[in-house]
Amino acid sequence: MPNFDELLNHVGEFGRYQRKISVLGCLPLVLFAFVLVGVVLGNSPEHWCRIDHAESILDSCRWNERELRELRQRIAPNGSLGRCQRFNVNWNTNVVNCSGSSNISHFYSPLAVTPGLEPCDHGWVFNSSHTTVVTEFSLVCDMSWLADLNQVCLAAGFFVGSFVTGYLADRFGRKPCFIGSMLGLGLAGLGVAVSPLYTMLLAFRFLQGFFAKGAWTATYVLVIEFFGSSNRKFVSVMSRTLYSVGMVILPCLAYYIQSWRTLQLVMTIPTFLFLVYYWLVPESPRWLISQRRIQEAMGIVESIAKCNNRSLPDNLIEADPLTENQEDLNPPSFKDLFRTPNMRRNTVILIYAWFTSTVVFQGLVLRLGITGDNVFLDFFISAVVELPTGLIFYLAVDRVGRRPLMAASNFIGGVACLAVPFISGEFLWLKKAVAILGRLAVAVGFETVNFANSELYPTPLRNLGMSVCSSASDIGAVVAPFLLYRMASIWQELPLFLYGTMSVLYSVLVMLLPEMKGVNLLETIDDLEKMKRTNCFCKNKKNSDGNI
């Protein structure tokens, strides 16, 4: 009996229907990039203690708090002024007498006795026209560690969502998991925008990560299962490109929308538009067939044929494909990812690959510092660097194969990391160029492991396999800043040696994975185990009953 890939030969592997599904399925990735808005909202601008007991001097001299801060710097010992402490001085008394003048440059009145210091118990003034979570909740100085929880809670949501939503998508279907996750993502985003308490905001950030991970894995797997082996890369190119577009749009919106709550609403409301996918996007026919729901699957296959102006032979319409040689229908289990030797090897290597990709990529982003302290421009340039990733992946993945591309890109990224510390500071442009090259190479490897991960698991375990393996990236997102800042405190270039070593090891390990270039998507666990025995790594070979 024919398998689903043979059905695609009759109805079209890359027709109008697949292109429509690919565009619809990848559009949400623009919004998934907006979940990272915490990088902008959690930005801590320059700040100083709010000056109390200064009403008279501000009124008589017609100064603002910024100008009074400049005067404080003039009269402070050695011109110093802390961000977390203030002088114990009543500025309304005898420190300054401006005599009605408004020119602050006329004053220089050093204090005879250095005053004592005290905490900023009246709040802070922030040197920014934009409000952020940090400015609203005063997450600076002794409370600065709370600002880091913004991204930590998001990453924790990603991690938990990987296991829960991955299981649900394989158990109940890709489509209901996607729709439910988009609804949850929208409601969580609204919760972030209206949270009156920081603890409540963190809870909603966790839910954002939980539902974003479910929506991303469900839609990616759903779309890729509509394609044959020769055109699956199109899905990765579309998803990576649209995600990168979202990353470019994010700092632009954040720059022009000064209120963080308004920005959060603007980025959240479009999420609800994707609920119409309940009527626009069908369930994955591969998944339906794996669940023995043959009649529903054949209805979708007929729709594909009609949209692609192809016809399905009558004998296939009447038959129940894939009902023979099927494994017993059992709910997916986490144990299945480690049950057989090949499955166990693939899972362990992919977990390390996801973890390394995130630690190295995030570390290079945090370290790059291309344009100083302009967070919006830094983020914009960082996103633009990623734009060629999809094109490079598209041109290379079927020419050189999945394994060689993952190995080569991470080897190049690793060597770049190891090389940067040995480039003299006199050639700063060269150091930055090599770092950018390394980041681009790692980004290409990141996209390739995402693509290969979906190919290395059979249909009943595909969503669960992707979710569990990619959960290692969520751990990496939490670990990356800790490794960077702790190691950089010892020596600024030390993190690069770690990144380089991890990437080179990655490039060696991925060569132990099977090559899926030109191979149909696996339908059963037995298909994966047969690959080694039949040596079917690079060509689309089939036996008489249609199995790989």
Side-chain angles (χ1 to χ4, degrees), residues 254-293:
Y255 180 78
Y256 287 105
I257 300 176
Q258 296 185 344
S259 168
W260 76 268
R261 293 187 183 274
T262 303
L263 176 64
Q264 181 64 45
L265 285 174
V266 168
M267 293 184 169
T268 296
I269 291 174
T271 304
F272 295 102
L273 298 177
F274 290 96
L275 298 181
V276 301
Y277 278 23
Y278 181 84
W279 296 277
L280 295 180
V281 176
E283 181 58 88
S284 164
R286 284 186 192 270
W287 180 83
L288 290 171
I289 289 173
S290 73
Q291 301 299 303
R292 311 284 180 85
R293 293 161 61 175

Short mmCIF file of all heavy atoms in Angstrom, two decimals, residues 254-293:
data_model
loop_
_atom_site.label_atom_id
_atom_site.label_comp_id
_atom_site.label_asym_id
_atom_site.label_seq_id
_atom_site.Cartn_x
_atom_site.Cartn_y
_atom_site.Cartn_z
N ALA A 254 9.47 49.53 19.03
CA ALA A 254 9.85 49.90 20.39
C ALA A 254 10.43 51.31 20.44
O ALA A 254 10.28 52.03 21.44
CB ALA A 254 10.86 48.89 20.94
N TYR A 255 11.08 51.74 19.37
CA TYR A 255 11.67 53.08 19.32
C TYR A 255 10.59 54.16 19.23
O TYR A 255 10.67 55.21 19.89
CB TYR A 255 12.63 53.20 18.14
CG TYR A 255 13.28 54.55 18.01
CD1 TYR A 255 14.35 54.91 18.83
CD2 TYR A 255 12.82 55.47 17.08
CE1 TYR A 255 14.94 56.16 18.71
CE2 TYR A 255 13.41 56.73 16.95
CZ TYR A 255 14.47 57.06 17.77
OH TYR A 255 15.05 58.30 17.66
N TYR A 256 9.56 53.92 18.43
CA TYR A 256 8.54 54.94 18.18
C TYR A 256 7.39 54.90 19.19
O TYR A 256 6.64 55.86 19.31
CB TYR A 256 8.00 54.82 16.76
CG TYR A 256 8.99 55.28 15.72
CD1 TYR A 256 9.69 54.37 14.93
CD2 TYR A 256 9.25 56.64 15.54
CE1 TYR A 256 10.61 54.79 13.98
CE2 TYR A 256 10.17 57.07 14.60
CZ TYR A 256 10.85 56.14 13.82
OH TYR A 256 11.75 56.58 12.90
N ILE A 257 7.19 53.77 19.87
CA ILE A 257 6.14 53.69 20.89
C ILE A 257 6.81 53.79 22.26
O ILE A 257 7.49 52.87 22.70
CB ILE A 257 5.35 52.37 20.76
CG1 ILE A 257 4.70 52.28 19.37
CG2 ILE A 257 4.28 52.28 21.84
CD1 ILE A 257 3.98 50.97 19.13
N GLN A 258 6.61 54.90 22.93
CA GLN A 258 7.40 55.18 24.13
C GLN A 258 6.87 54.49 25.38
O GLN A 258 7.63 54.28 26.32
CB GLN A 258 7.46 56.70 24.36
CG GLN A 258 8.19 57.44 23.24
CD GLN A 258 8.35 58.91 23.53
OE1 GLN A 258 7.69 59.47 24.40
NE2 GLN A 258 9.25 59.57 22.81
N SER A 259 5.61 54.16 25.42
CA SER A 259 5.04 53.48 26.58
C SER A 259 5.15 51.97 26.41
O SER A 259 4.68 51.42 25.41
CB SER A 259 3.56 53.88 26.75
OG SER A 259 2.92 53.04 27.69
N TRP A 260 5.71 51.30 27.38
CA TRP A 260 5.91 49.86 27.26
C TRP A 260 4.58 49.12 27.27
O TRP A 260 4.44 48.08 26.63
CB TRP A 260 6.82 49.34 28.36
CG TRP A 260 6.22 49.21 29.72
CD1 TRP A 260 6.23 50.16 30.71
CD2 TRP A 260 5.53 48.09 30.26
NE1 TRP A 260 5.58 49.69 31.83
CE2 TRP A 260 5.14 48.41 31.58
CE3 TRP A 260 5.20 46.83 29.75
CZ2 TRP A 260 4.44 47.55 32.40
CZ3 TRP A 260 4.51 45.95 30.57
CH2 TRP A 260 4.13 46.30 31.87
N ARG A 261 3.59 49.64 27.97
CA ARG A 261 2.29 48.98 28.00
C ARG A 261 1.60 49.09 26.65
O ARG A 261 0.99 48.12 26.16
CB ARG A 261 1.42 49.58 29.11
CG ARG A 261 1.94 49.29 30.52
CD ARG A 261 0.97 49.75 31.59
NE ARG A 261 1.48 49.55 32.94
CZ ARG A 261 1.36 48.42 33.63
NH1 ARG A 261 0.72 47.38 33.10
NH2 ARG A 261 1.85 48.31 34.85
N THR A 262 1.68 50.25 26.02
CA THR A 262 1.11 50.41 24.67
C THR A 262 1.83 49.51 23.68
O THR A 262 1.19 48.88 22.82
CB THR A 262 1.22 51.88 24.23
OG1 THR A 262 0.57 52.72 25.18
CG2 THR A 262 0.58 52.08 22.87
N LEU A 263 3.15 49.44 23.78
CA LEU A 263 3.93 48.57 22.90
C LEU A 263 3.50 47.11 23.06
O LEU A 263 3.33 46.39 22.07
CB LEU A 263 5.41 48.72 23.21
CG LEU A 263 6.37 47.82 22.44
CD1 LEU A 263 6.32 48.12 20.95
CD2 LEU A 263 7.80 47.97 22.96
N GLN A 264 3.31 46.67 24.30
CA GLN A 264 2.89 45.29 24.55
C GLN A 264 1.52 45.02 23.93
O GLN A 264 1.29 43.96 23.32
CB GLN A 264 2.85 45.03 26.05
CG GLN A 264 2.44 43.62 26.44
CD GLN A 264 3.44 42.58 25.97
OE1 GLN A 264 4.65 42.76 26.11
NE2 GLN A 264 2.95 41.50 25.40
N LEU A 265 0.61 45.97 24.02
CA LEU A 265 -0.72 45.80 23.41
C LEU A 265 -0.63 45.74 21.89
O LEU A 265 -1.29 44.90 21.26
CB LEU A 265 -1.63 46.95 23.84
CG LEU A 265 -2.17 46.92 25.27
CD1 LEU A 265 -2.94 48.20 25.58
CD2 LEU A 265 -3.07 45.70 25.47
N VAL A 266 0.16 46.62 21.30
CA VAL A 266 0.30 46.65 19.83
C VAL A 266 0.85 45.32 19.32
O VAL A 266 0.45 44.84 18.26
CB VAL A 266 1.22 47.82 19.42
CG1 VAL A 266 1.63 47.70 17.96
CG2 VAL A 266 0.52 49.15 19.66
N MET A 267 1.73 44.69 20.08
CA MET A 267 2.34 43.45 19.64
C MET A 267 1.49 42.22 20.00
O MET A 267 1.74 41.14 19.47
CB MET A 267 3.73 43.30 20.26
CG MET A 267 4.71 44.33 19.76
SD MET A 267 6.37 44.07 20.40
CE MET A 267 7.32 45.20 19.37
N THR A 268 0.52 42.41 20.88
CA THR A 268 -0.30 41.27 21.32
C THR A 268 -1.59 41.14 20.53
O THR A 268 -1.99 40.02 20.17
CB THR A 268 -0.63 41.42 22.82
OG1 THR A 268 0.57 41.35 23.58
CG2 THR A 268 -1.57 40.31 23.28
N ILE A 269 -2.27 42.24 20.24
CA ILE A 269 -3.60 42.18 19.62
C ILE A 269 -3.63 41.39 18.32
O ILE A 269 -4.57 40.62 18.07
CB ILE A 269 -4.15 43.61 19.43
CG1 ILE A 269 -4.46 44.23 20.81
CG2 ILE A 269 -5.40 43.62 18.55
CD1 ILE A 269 -4.87 45.68 20.76
N PRO A 270 -2.61 41.52 17.41
CA PRO A 270 -2.66 40.72 16.17
C PRO A 270 -2.68 39.21 16.40
O PRO A 270 -3.07 38.46 15.51
CB PRO A 270 -1.38 41.15 15.44
CG PRO A 270 -1.06 42.50 15.97
CD PRO A 270 -1.48 42.47 17.41
N THR A 271 -2.28 38.77 17.59
CA THR A 271 -2.27 37.33 17.88
C THR A 271 -3.67 36.72 17.70
O THR A 271 -3.81 35.60 17.20
CB THR A 271 -1.77 37.07 19.31
OG1 THR A 271 -0.48 37.66 19.47
CG2 THR A 271 -1.69 35.58 19.60
N PHE A 272 -4.69 37.46 18.10
CA PHE A 272 -6.05 36.93 18.04
C PHE A 272 -6.54 36.73 16.60
O PHE A 272 -7.48 35.98 16.37
CB PHE A 272 -7.00 37.84 18.82
CG PHE A 272 -6.70 37.89 20.29
CD1 PHE A 272 -6.02 38.97 20.84
CD2 PHE A 272 -7.07 36.85 21.13
CE1 PHE A 272 -5.75 39.02 22.19
CE2 PHE A 272 -6.79 36.88 22.49
CZ PHE A 272 -6.13 37.97 23.01
N LEU A 273 -5.92 37.43 15.64
CA LEU A 273 -6.32 37.26 14.23
C LEU A 273 -6.08 35.83 13.76
O LEU A 273 -6.78 35.33 12.88
CB LEU A 273 -5.56 38.24 13.35
CG LEU A 273 -5.80 39.74 13.62
CD1 LEU A 273 -4.91 40.58 12.71
CD2 LEU A 273 -7.27 40.09 13.39
N PHE A 274 -5.09 35.16 14.34
CA PHE A 274 -4.74 33.82 13.88
C PHE A 274 -5.70 32.75 14.38
O PHE A 274 -5.56 31.58 14.01
CB PHE A 274 -3.31 33.48 14.29
CG PHE A 274 -2.28 34.28 13.54
CD1 PHE A 274 -1.74 35.43 14.08
CD2 PHE A 274 -1.88 33.90 12.27
CE1 PHE A 274 -0.80 36.18 13.38
CE2 PHE A 274 -0.95 34.63 11.55
CZ PHE A 274 -0.41 35.78 12.11
N LEU A 275 -6.68 33.13 15.17
CA LEU A 275 -7.69 32.16 15.59
C LEU A 275 -8.58 31.75 14.41
O LEU A 275 -9.21 30.69 14.46
CB LEU A 275 -8.55 32.74 16.72
CG LEU A 275 -7.80 33.08 18.02
CD1 LEU A 275 -8.77 33.61 19.06
CD2 LEU A 275 -7.06 31.85 18.56
N VAL A 276 -8.59 32.57 13.35
CA VAL A 276 -9.37 32.20 12.15
C VAL A 276 -8.76 31.00 11.44
O VAL A 276 -9.39 30.42 10.55
CB VAL A 276 -9.49 33.39 11.17
CG1 VAL A 276 -10.16 34.58 11.84
CG2 VAL A 276 -8.13 33.79 10.62
N TYR A 277 -7.54 30.61 11.84
CA TYR A 277 -6.93 29.42 11.24
C TYR A 277 -7.73 28.15 11.55
O TYR A 277 -7.54 27.13 10.89
CB TYR A 277 -5.50 29.25 11.76
CG TYR A 277 -4.47 30.10 11.03
CD1 TYR A 277 -4.85 31.25 10.35
CD2 TYR A 277 -3.13 29.75 11.02
CE1 TYR A 277 -3.92 32.02 9.68
CE2 TYR A 277 -2.18 30.51 10.36
CZ TYR A 277 -2.59 31.65 9.70
OH TYR A 277 -1.65 32.41 9.04
N TYR A 278 -8.60 28.24 12.54
CA TYR A 278 -9.47 27.09 12.82
C TYR A 278 -10.28 26.72 11.59
O TYR A 278 -10.58 25.54 11.37
CB TYR A 278 -10.40 27.44 13.99
CG TYR A 278 -11.33 26.32 14.37
CD1 TYR A 278 -10.91 25.30 15.23
CD2 TYR A 278 -12.64 26.26 13.87
CE1 TYR A 278 -11.77 24.26 15.58
CE2 TYR A 278 -13.50 25.23 14.21
CZ TYR A 278 -13.06 24.24 15.06
OH TYR A 278 -13.91 23.21 15.40
N TRP A 279 -10.62 27.73 10.77
CA TRP A 279 -11.41 27.47 9.55
C TRP A 279 -10.53 27.46 8.30
O TRP A 279 -10.96 26.96 7.27
CB TRP A 279 -12.49 28.56 9.40
CG TRP A 279 -13.50 28.52 10.49
CD1 TRP A 279 -14.60 27.72 10.59
CD2 TRP A 279 -13.48 29.32 11.68
NE1 TRP A 279 -15.28 27.97 11.75
CE2 TRP A 279 -14.63 28.95 12.45
CE3 TRP A 279 -12.65 30.31 12.19
CZ2 TRP A 279 -14.93 29.54 13.67
CZ3 TRP A 279 -12.96 30.90 13.40
CH2 TRP A 279 -14.08 30.51 14.14
N LEU A 280 -9.33 28.00 8.37
CA LEU A 280 -8.49 28.14 7.17
C LEU A 280 -7.47 27.01 7.00
O LEU A 280 -7.12 26.67 5.86
CB LEU A 280 -7.74 29.48 7.21
CG LEU A 280 -8.58 30.76 7.15
CD1 LEU A 280 -7.67 31.98 7.20
CD2 LEU A 280 -9.43 30.78 5.88
N VAL A 281 -6.97 26.47 8.08
CA VAL A 281 -5.87 25.50 8.01
C VAL A 281 -6.36 24.13 8.46
O VAL A 281 -6.97 24.00 9.53
CB VAL A 281 -4.69 25.96 8.89
CG1 VAL A 281 -3.58 24.92 8.89
CG2 VAL A 281 -4.16 27.31 8.41
N PRO A 282 -6.12 23.08 7.66
CA PRO A 282 -6.55 21.73 8.06
C PRO A 282 -5.54 21.07 9.00
O PRO A 282 -4.43 21.57 9.19
CB PRO A 282 -6.60 20.99 6.72
CG PRO A 282 -5.52 21.64 5.92
CD PRO A 282 -5.51 23.09 6.32
N GLU A 283 -5.96 19.96 9.57
CA GLU A 283 -5.05 19.15 10.37
C GLU A 283 -4.04 18.47 9.45
O GLU A 283 -4.26 18.31 8.24
CB GLU A 283 -5.85 18.11 11.14
CG GLU A 283 -5.04 17.18 12.04
CD GLU A 283 -4.21 17.92 13.07
OE1 GLU A 283 -4.72 18.19 14.17
OE2 GLU A 283 -3.04 18.24 12.76
N SER A 284 -2.89 18.10 10.01
CA SER A 284 -1.87 17.40 9.24
C SER A 284 -2.38 16.03 8.81
O SER A 284 -2.72 15.20 9.66
CB SER A 284 -0.61 17.23 10.09
OG SER A 284 0.26 16.26 9.52
N PRO A 285 -2.45 15.76 7.50
CA PRO A 285 -2.90 14.43 7.06
C PRO A 285 -1.95 13.32 7.49
O PRO A 285 -2.38 12.18 7.70
CB PRO A 285 -2.97 14.56 5.53
CG PRO A 285 -2.11 15.73 5.20
CD PRO A 285 -2.17 16.65 6.37
N ARG A 286 -0.66 13.63 7.61
CA ARG A 286 0.28 12.60 8.11
C ARG A 286 -0.11 12.18 9.53
O ARG A 286 -0.10 10.99 9.85
CB ARG A 286 1.71 13.15 8.13
CG ARG A 286 2.41 13.24 6.80
CD ARG A 286 3.85 13.65 7.01
NE ARG A 286 4.48 14.03 5.77
CZ ARG A 286 5.13 13.18 4.98
NH1 ARG A 286 5.21 11.90 5.32
NH2 ARG A 286 5.68 13.60 3.86
N TRP A 287 -0.41 13.17 10.37
CA TRP A 287 -0.78 12.84 11.74
C TRP A 287 -2.10 12.07 11.76
O TRP A 287 -2.24 11.11 12.53
CB TRP A 287 -0.91 14.12 12.57
CG TRP A 287 -1.29 13.83 13.99
CD1 TRP A 287 -0.46 13.47 15.01
CD2 TRP A 287 -2.61 13.84 14.54
NE1 TRP A 287 -1.18 13.26 16.16
CE2 TRP A 287 -2.50 13.47 15.90
CE3 TRP A 287 -3.87 14.12 14.02
CZ2 TRP A 287 -3.61 13.40 16.75
CZ3 TRP A 287 -4.97 14.04 14.85
CH2 TRP A 287 -4.84 13.68 16.20
N LEU A 288 -3.05 12.46 10.94
CA LEU A 288 -4.33 11.76 10.90
C LEU A 288 -4.15 10.29 10.50
O LEU A 288 -4.76 9.39 11.08
CB LEU A 288 -5.29 12.45 9.92
CG LEU A 288 -5.82 13.82 10.35
CD1 LEU A 288 -6.55 14.49 9.20
CD2 LEU A 288 -6.73 13.68 11.57
N ILE A 289 -3.28 10.07 9.52
CA ILE A 289 -3.02 8.69 9.08
C ILE A 289 -2.35 7.90 10.19
O ILE A 289 -2.67 6.73 10.43
CB ILE A 289 -2.17 8.69 7.80
CG1 ILE A 289 -2.99 9.20 6.61
CG2 ILE A 289 -1.63 7.29 7.51
CD1 ILE A 289 -2.19 9.39 5.35
N SER A 290 -1.42 8.55 10.91
CA SER A 290 -0.74 7.84 12.00
C SER A 290 -1.72 7.48 13.12
O SER A 290 -1.45 6.56 13.91
CB SER A 290 0.39 8.70 12.57
OG SER A 290 -0.10 9.79 13.34
N GLN A 291 -2.85 8.19 13.20
CA GLN A 291 -3.87 7.91 14.20
C GLN A 291 -5.01 7.05 13.64
O GLN A 291 -6.06 6.92 14.28
CB GLN A 291 -4.45 9.23 14.72
CG GLN A 291 -3.43 10.16 15.34
CD GLN A 291 -2.74 9.55 16.53
OE1 GLN A 291 -3.38 9.15 17.49
NE2 GLN A 291 -1.40 9.48 16.47
N ARG A 292 -4.80 6.48 12.42
CA ARG A 292 -5.79 5.62 11.77
C ARG A 292 -7.07 6.37 11.39
O ARG A 292 -8.12 5.75 11.19
CB ARG A 292 -6.16 4.43 12.64
CG ARG A 292 -4.99 3.66 13.21
CD ARG A 292 -4.33 2.77 12.17
NE ARG A 292 -3.21 2.05 12.75
CZ ARG A 292 -3.32 0.91 13.41
NH1 ARG A 292 -4.51 0.38 13.63
NH2 ARG A 292 -2.25 0.31 13.87
N ARG A 293 -7.02 7.69 11.31
CA ARG A 293 -8.19 8.47 10.87
C ARG A 293 -8.08 8.69 9.37
O ARG A 293 -7.89 9.79 8.87
CB ARG A 293 -8.25 9.78 11.65
CG ARG A 293 -8.53 9.55 13.13
CD ARG A 293 -8.17 10.72 14.02
NE ARG A 293 -8.89 11.95 13.71
CZ ARG A 293 -8.78 13.07 14.44
NH1 ARG A 293 -7.99 13.06 15.52
NH2 ARG A 293 -9.45 14.15 14.10
#
